[in-house]
Amino acid sequence: MPPPSDIVKVAIEWPGAFPKLMEIDQKKPLSAIIKEVCEGWSLGNHENFALQNADSTNFYITEKNRNDIKNGSILRLTTSPSQMAGQLHERIQSSSMDAKLEALKDLANSSRDVTFAQEFINLDGISLLTQMVESGTERYQKLQKIMKPCFGDLLSFTLTAFVELMDHGIVSWDTFSVAFIKKIAGYVNKSAMDMAVLQRSLAILESMVLNSQDLYQKVAQEITIGQLIPHLQGTDQDIQTYTIAVINALFLKAPEDKRQFDESSVNILDCPLTEMAHILAQKQLRSIILSNVIRSPKPINDEMAHQLYVLQVLTFNLLEDRMMTKMDPQDQAQRDIIFELRRIAFDVECEPNNSGSIEKRKSMYTRDYKKLGFINHVNPAMDFTQIPPGMLALDNMLYFARHHQDAYIRIVLENSSREDKHECPFGRSSIELTKMLCEILKVGELPSENCHDFHPMFFTHDRSFEEFFCICIQLLNKTWKEMRATSEDFNKVMQVVREQIMRALTQKPNSLDQLKSRLQNLSYTEILKIRQSERMNQEDFQSRPILELREKIQPEIMELIKQQRLNRLCDGTCFRKISSRRRQDKFWYCRLSPNHKVLHYGDLEESPQGEVPHDSLQEKLPVADIKAVVTGKDCPHMKEKGSLKQNKEVQELAFSVLYESDEYLNFIAPDKHEYCVWTDGLNALLGKEMTSDFTKSDMDTLLSMEMKLRLLDLENIQIPEAPPPIPKEPSNYDFVYDCN
């Protein structure tokens, strides 16, 4: 007879004694269980003791998380969180340097546990740490020369404990003084600083900026570009990542009116980060990131790729203001840009106001504006009243005309000499192309939490978006000629150009020149070949016998997909524990047992490089106990975390397993592929339908392949819609041979 579900068999350790095997009744109060354990070892004052997991986490067992204890777990009897917090609070104030250092090291490790963190914070521990950073360490300044390693470790453990405590979200970031901010900024600004201290200082500054608008102002006044650049020029990729993260945070939180910068200002190295936005386009910072990070011999890890992607998105978002600004037809300065486009294209000398009649000049302007490809020939300013792309399209056209003058003149004159129906309208094309590029690069959208899709080529030029436009407008004109398009084919041409650009971007060209060569190879003829090949691979036979065969094969294919999903669950996946501090991530691993009966899972210190064995995963969840699988915003961890609540990207990767009475195992998949694999696999275990996009894609691919293999012998044979008629019965059966 199986044991009651409320009874859990565990081993409990106590220093200097043999581990004790005992059964824990989950219905009994935790204090009663601790008392029973203490009495077994003849320990008094049981209220001063607590149980904690005897693994790398050392997290305390509480009434809230006690249901996570599984059969076979190893626990440890230890000092209660309140006692431990009090002892560490006292020890870190020791006058002995060695004792202080050891206490801070223990505090940094213990602070990862929210139960301990709450007790330590209740003792005003955060204030004690900030005071130590602000003034307490001053007493040791004179000892730095002879005790530099010790001093670095002391400060490092202090800042680590501070970061871990703040990460629980118990204390508001708005409570910190200017003196503390100045101290942290000072560690970042020093040229020779311990790497661990620098890393944590950058992490603290980033969290301050992201969590408080008031602190953003204070931090921005303390840090300049010149002070951050040396950290980008170093060889430590973690420091480079944290540095770019600080730049991104300040950039993201900068008020709209601070996101512009006067080019005639003082040296950009001394410019405060409140005026970050325009500086990011400046050559110095961009070239340093390009040469020291992107083109570094070290491979770029996921976190660095994410920060570069965020920087790319935020830089392109500077274009949003122009993209959403309509042209004012009455604004003479804006109208002068259109006059400039006309002048460059046709090399028209500026005529005096009295030369020719007004009607004659208007007629000439109308003719030239038609050649330039504007929709409104009389008043082309009206073409730029659509948002998006608004004034951004006109900016791109002017940049192309000035910086690629020969190509601009060639395109305009080439099309003005064609028949009206075959000309590629430069004005209309530029407006639609700018709108398309904004959609492709998602200008105006906030960066995604889990995306790493940055393009190195956008870091190779100070005006990368404008240069990207110049390459694409020439591609559009080339594709127009290859398609022999007319004005009625405008939308078809734009669709082909979008496909050419998207296919080229997926190859991640390292430079704009490489992008040109990739686009050169993606001619209209090549696009047609690719489309034809894809069409053949995805061919859908519609005759009734073929459809019947598909229906017959489909269950076999679905069973094959199901087995693949379950095999993937048996291999297991490493999941990230999302926190407000991205780069100090914690991981956990989950996998299905080979007999498909149990989910094994457990915490990891870092992402594993190979397979994680079952015996290292201490937690278990029987598949029979799983009640349901929920996804997206219905997951408990999406409802609890306010910061994640608004993040659509994270919600799309979230799923939870419901078991027992309202208990959940919460997941956030590393990517969409793993999300589909796990939700499909879990649904398959529960006997439910697999409905992910990944399953549909696999079904289409495998079904198409199987159909083609089965129909291979029928090539060039026409399959009739209906079976042939049954012939009439013969007049006699004399032809039948009777063996008897």
Side-chain angles (χ1 to χ4, degrees):
M1 184 174 177
S5 58
D6 294 324
I7 302 299
V8 183
K9 295 182 178 181
V10 300
I12 300 180
E13 298 176 342
W14 172 251
F18 287 109
K20 179 181 292 187
L21 298 177
M22 68 177 294
E23 294 183 349
I24 291 179
D25 186 351
Q26 293 286 35
K27 291 181 179 179
K28 291 175 65 176
L30 192 59
S31 57
I33 295 171
I34 294 171
K35 182 179 180 181
E36 181 183 339
V37 174
C38 290
E39 288 173 349
W41 275 308
S42 302
L43 299 173
N45 299 323
H46 67 272
E47 62 274 3
N48 293 334
F49 292 92
L51 293 173
Q52 65 179 187
N53 291 303
D55 55 19
S56 57
T57 64
N58 292 328
F59 287 171
Y60 280 100
I61 304 298
T62 65
E63 290 291 353
K64 288 183 179 179
N65 64 22
R66 61 182 296 177
N67 288 325
D68 294 337
I69 303 173
K70 303 300 178 186
N71 280 318
S73 297
I74 302 175
L75 308 181
R76 182 186 298 121
L77 185 66
T78 186
T79 311
S80 69
S82 58
Q83 286 282 105
M84 178 69 76
Q87 291 171 10
L88 284 175
H89 191 275
E90 185 178 338
R91 286 171 58 201
I92 62 175
Q93 300 178 72
S94 170
S95 57
S96 166
M97 178 72 84
D98 291 337
K100 192 183 195 76
L101 182 62
E102 196 62 33
L104 285 168
K105 184 177 180 180
D106 291 343
L107 178 62
N109 289 328
S110 300
S111 296
R112 293 179 299 165
D113 183 9
V114 66
T115 310
F116 169 85
Q118 184 68 69
E119 295 291 343
F120 189 78
I121 290 169
N122 290 344
L123 296 174
D124 215 12
I126 294 282
S127 297
L128 177 59
L129 292 179
T130 54
Q131 287 168 15
M132 290 171 63
V133 172
E134 288 175 30
S135 58
T137 54
E138 297 290 346
R139 291 177 293 168
Y140 306 105
Q141 295 293 329
K142 295 178 182 179
L143 300 175
Q144 280 192 64
K145 290 184 180 179
I146 58 173
M147 302 184 68
K148 191 169 183 179
C150 186
F151 177 77
D153 290 343
L154 186 80
L155 189 54
S156 171
F157 288 130
T158 304
L159 295 179
T160 302
F162 174 82
V163 169
E164 293 288 356
L165 291 167
M166 290 303 298
D167 189 45
H168 297 296
I170 299 170
V171 178
S172 169
W173 282 93
D174 288 308
T175 58
F176 298 107
S177 66
V178 175
F180 179 72
I181 297 168
K182 285 181 179 290
K183 205 74 181 177
I184 298 298
Y187 299 141
V188 172
N189 295 339
K190 284 183 182 177
S191 56
M193 178 52 68
D194 182 85
M195 283 301 192
V197 173
L198 176 59
Q199 188 185 75
R200 283 151 185 77
S201 298
L202 288 167
I204 291 170
L205 291 181
E206 183 199 5
S207 294
M208 283 180 172
V209 171
L210 291 176
N211 287 284
S212 169
Q213 189 65 31
D214 184 46
L215 286 182
Y216 155 77
Q217 299 287 349
K218 295 173 183 176
V219 171
Q221 291 168 5
E222 299 296 327
I223 304 291
T224 67
I225 288 284
Q227 291 155 345
L228 289 176
I229 280 178
H231 304 318
L232 293 174
Q233 292 172 321
T235 57
D236 191 312
Q237 193 171 108
D238 285 340
I239 296 297
Q240 291 174 327
T241 304
Y242 276 81
T243 303
I244 296 177
V246 172
I247 292 173
N248 287 338
L250 285 156
F251 191 9
L252 186 64
K253 292 296 181 178
E256 293 294 331
D257 59 338
K258 294 292 186 182
R259 294 193 179 184
Q260 298 302 326
F261 179 69
D262 183 5
E263 292 185 12
S264 63
S265 181
V266 294
N267 183 357
I268 68 162
L269 295 182
D270 298 323
C271 180
L273 282 171
T274 46
E275 297 169 344
M276 266 298 304
H278 193 82
I279 298 174
L280 284 173
Q282 299 299 313
K283 184 174 183 179
Q284 188 165 10
L285 184 60
R286 177 194 59 75
S287 62
I288 286 170
I289 291 175
L290 180 66
S291 58
N292 292 280
V293 178
I294 296 175
R295 291 181 177 169
S296 167
K298 293 181 181 179
I300 293 175
N301 59 35
D302 284 350
E303 184 53 40
M304 175 61 85
H306 172 75
Q307 294 301 337
L308 290 172
Y309 153 77
V310 173
L311 182 59
Q312 173 186 293
V313 170
L314 296 178
T315 304
F316 282 140
N317 281 357
L318 294 173
L319 304 169
E320 184 182 14
D321 184 51
R322 294 293 282 173
M323 181 182 76
M324 301 306 291
T325 300
K326 294 182 180 181
M327 185 171 184
D328 181 2
Q330 307 304 319
D331 189 325
Q332 189 58 42
Q334 295 179 0
R335 292 169 64 89
D336 286 344
I337 298 176
I338 297 176
F339 290 139
E340 178 73 358
L341 290 172
R342 174 178 169 270
R343 185 195 66 76
I344 295 172
F346 304 112
D347 197 22
V348 177
E349 296 294 335
C350 294
E351 302 128 351
N353 291 334
N354 58 358
S355 64
S357 64
I358 295 175
E359 288 77 12
K360 184 178 178 181
R361 288 204 307 276
K362 281 185 177 179
S363 174
M364 184 173 62
Y365 289 167
T366 301
R367 181 198 66 205
D368 291 345
Y369 292 149
K370 184 178 180 182
K371 290 180 181 179
L372 279 169
F374 290 112
I375 298 173
N376 193 320
H377 305 151
V378 179
N379 185 8
M382 299 303 296
D383 287 12
F384 301 97
T385 55
Q386 175 194 356
I387 54 172
M391 288 295 291
L392 185 60
L394 189 58
D395 295 343
N396 284 339
M397 293 167 70
L398 183 62
Y399 181 90
F400 182 49
R402 285 179 172 172
H403 294 82
H404 301 270
Q405 196 170 115
D406 291 343
Y408 167 70
I409 293 171
R410 186 181 70 251
I411 286 177
V412 173
L413 296 183
E414 192 178 82
N415 285 290
S416 62
S417 61
R418 291 181 188 165
E419 296 178 40
D420 284 353
K421 68 176 184 177
H422 282 290
E423 67 179 14
C424 176
F426 173 72
R428 182 186 176 192
S429 298
S430 297
I431 292 168
E432 290 301 319
L433 179 63
T434 301
K435 183 179 178 182
M436 180 199 295
L437 296 183
C438 289
E439 290 171 358
I440 291 173
L441 298 176
K442 299 181 179 178
V443 174
E445 294 186 21
L446 287 175
S448 162
E449 178 71 20
N450 294 311
C451 188
H452 311 106
D453 188 26
F454 83 97
H455 295 277
M457 69 177 185
F458 290 130
F459 291 85
T460 62
H461 200 282
D462 299 332
R463 304 287 293 275
S464 59
F465 184 81
E466 290 88 340
E467 287 292 326
F468 187 37
F469 168 83
C470 294
I471 292 169
C472 294
I473 193 67
Q474 294 176 74
L475 168 73
L476 193 153
N477 190 62
K478 173 175 169 284
T479 303
W480 185 283
K481 288 188 289 185
E482 290 172 349
M483 292 178 68
R484 301 181 184 220
T486 63
S487 54
E488 288 82 9
D489 300 320
F490 185 86
N491 290 333
K492 291 180 183 177
V493 175
M494 295 305 294
Q495 288 173 6
V496 173
V497 170
R498 176 186 278 269
E499 187 173 345
Q500 289 170 313
I501 294 170
M502 293 298 290
R503 289 185 184 277
L505 287 178
T506 55
Q507 298 174 27
K508 292 290 179 72
N510 291 320
S511 66
L512 292 166
D513 287 336
Q514 201 173 90
L515 174 70
K516 287 181 189 176
S517 63
R518 299 275 164 84
L519 289 172
Q520 196 71 29
N521 296 331
L522 285 168
S523 63
Y524 176 57
T525 306
E526 186 63 26
I527 291 294
L528 285 180
K529 288 180 183 177
I530 294 171
R531 285 181 173 180
Q532 180 66 21
S533 173
E534 290 177 350
R535 193 177 299 118
M536 288 178 67
N537 291 334
Q538 298 172 0
E539 190 172 358
D540 188 18
F541 303 104
Q542 296 299 323
S543 64
R544 192 164 63 85
I546 301 297
L547 293 176
E548 289 177 359
L549 180 60
R550 283 174 66 93
E551 289 179 11
K552 184 178 179 181
I553 295 173
Q554 203 158 334
E556 300 173 22
I557 302 296
M558 186 59 76
E559 183 62 28
L560 182 65
I561 294 172
K562 175 183 174 181
Q563 289 305 316
Q564 188 274 339
R565 297 294 190 269
L566 295 176
N567 290 341
R568 277 288 293 106
L569 263 62
C570 291
D571 292 339
T573 301
C574 179
F575 296 94
R576 185 195 301 267
K577 289 187 175 181
I578 296 292
S579 69
S580 60
R581 200 175 67 259
R582 276 186 54 92
R583 283 156 314 290
Q584 295 188 11
D585 288 330
K586 298 164 186 174
F587 301 91
W588 67 290
Y589 200 86
C590 187
R591 64 187 301 180
L592 180 66
S593 62
N595 62 5
H596 302 170
K597 299 292 185 183
V598 179
L599 284 176
H600 298 265
Y601 62 97
D603 292 335
L604 300 175
E605 288 299 318
E606 57 185 18
S607 183
Q609 299 303 312
E611 187 176 297
V612 177
H614 283 285
D615 53 10
S616 67
L617 303 175
Q618 311 232 345
E619 308 291 341
K620 295 180 182 179
L621 172 59
V623 171
D625 290 350
I626 298 177
K627 308 295 184 190
V629 177
V630 293
T631 60
K633 61 184 179 182
D634 296 328
C635 299
H637 55 317
M638 291 297 101
K639 295 175 182 176
E640 292 170 5
K641 286 188 174 286
S643 59
L644 295 179
K645 200 173 179 182
Q646 306 302 325
N647 195 321
K648 183 181 176 184
E649 191 76 21
V650 174
Q651 282 189 0
E652 289 176 351
L653 298 175
F655 61 98
S656 298
V657 173
L658 170 64
Y659 63 97
E660 293 182 0
S661 54
D662 295 330
E663 292 293 327
Y664 287 88
L665 187 60
N666 297 320
F667 299 76
I668 294 178
D671 51 48
K672 192 68 177 176
H673 179 273
E674 289 295 324
Y675 170 84
C676 293
V677 165
W678 275 85
T679 51
D680 282 344
L682 291 170
N683 280 322
L685 286 172
L686 298 179
K688 295 182 180 179
E689 188 177 353
M690 299 183 293
T691 58
S692 75
D693 296 337
F694 191 34
T695 294
K696 293 174 186 173
S697 173
D698 282 356
M699 174 61 76
D700 291 341
T701 303
L702 294 172
L703 195 55
S704 174
M705 189 182 301
E706 183 68 18
M707 290 288 292
K708 287 176 180 177
L709 287 171
R710 295 204 182 194
L711 297 173
L712 203 57
D713 294 335
L714 297 178
E715 191 174 359
N716 298 323
I717 296 176
Q718 188 173 1
I719 300 172
E721 283 294 323
I726 299 173
K728 293 180 180 179
E729 287 192 30
S731 57
N732 62 70
Y733 291 90
D734 294 343
F735 56 87
V736 176
Y737 180 75
D738 189 353
C739 295
N740 297 322

